[in-house]
Amino acid sequence: MAERLSIIDAEENLYISISNPEKQALATTHGIAHNPGSNRDLPGIIFFNRVGDEVGGIYYDGADEENFAGITFDQQKNDQIMAIMKDEYQVDGEWKRWYGMFFRERSDSIRVEKLYNQFVERTKSMTKAEKDTEYLKFKKYLDSEINVYRMFLGREESKNTGLFIYDSKGNERIKIYVDEFDNTRFEIFDKNGVKQTIGH
């Protein structure tokens, strides 16, 4: 019986962490934790390269009303750029589901951990409620400017199943899918989100 299994080399550098949520290894760059003193709270397997960078992992968790899992792959010195994920959760007794493969675009010159450290410093004197509000703004900024979606292949919560392609600003540009009523759809949008007419 073990709470965490760490695969290390002769110099005790961590390569793989297999853990319960309470003992899971933190994200690192050059072996330095991004947010020391915090808890990751995520069971699964986390992978690290030979210079101490986290490079992705396999995670899973859930309860009676929610279940989620994923396999992620990180960009060099950055966060995930490719992932296979799924999430299932209940709303008013009805199950909502989405699952598929994601691709993101991330800047080589902007490090998420640096932005996060700045966020922690900026909000350290705030109340928990204020921090939660600021974090939602911070996360929205990351997803629209730093961690931009480029493609999703899978099933949306709306039950549309297909291929969804975004531009470098995160705007949805091409949708090829089958909707929940089994109708086939092919839609193209300009950079302002205006649907374009498809010629014959």
Side-chain angles (χ1 to χ4, degrees), residues 121-137:
E121 182 66 24
R122 179 168 55 83
T123 60
K124 64 181 181 181
S125 62
M126 294 183 179
T127 65
K128 184 181 185 304
E130 290 172 333
K131 285 182 180 180
D132 290 344
T133 299
E134 287 301 307
Y135 181 77
L136 291 177
K137 295 178 183 178

Side-chain angles (χ1 to χ4, degrees), residues 51-77:
V51 295
D53 299 339
E54 183 203 339
V55 293
I58 302 170
Y59 69 89
Y60 54 88
D61 205 354
D64 290 338
E65 297 182 350
E66 182 175 19
N67 188 285
F68 56 89
I71 302 173
T72 67
F73 303 86
D74 292 353
Q75 180 171 298
Q76 175 75 353
K77 306 295 184 185

Side-chain angles (χ1 to χ4, degrees), residues 167 171-173 189-196:
D167 64 19
N171 301 308
E172 194 169 46
R173 301 296 293 273
F189 304 85
D190 67 14
K191 63 182 179 181
N192 298 313
V194 178
K195 189 174 179 179
Q196 303 296 290

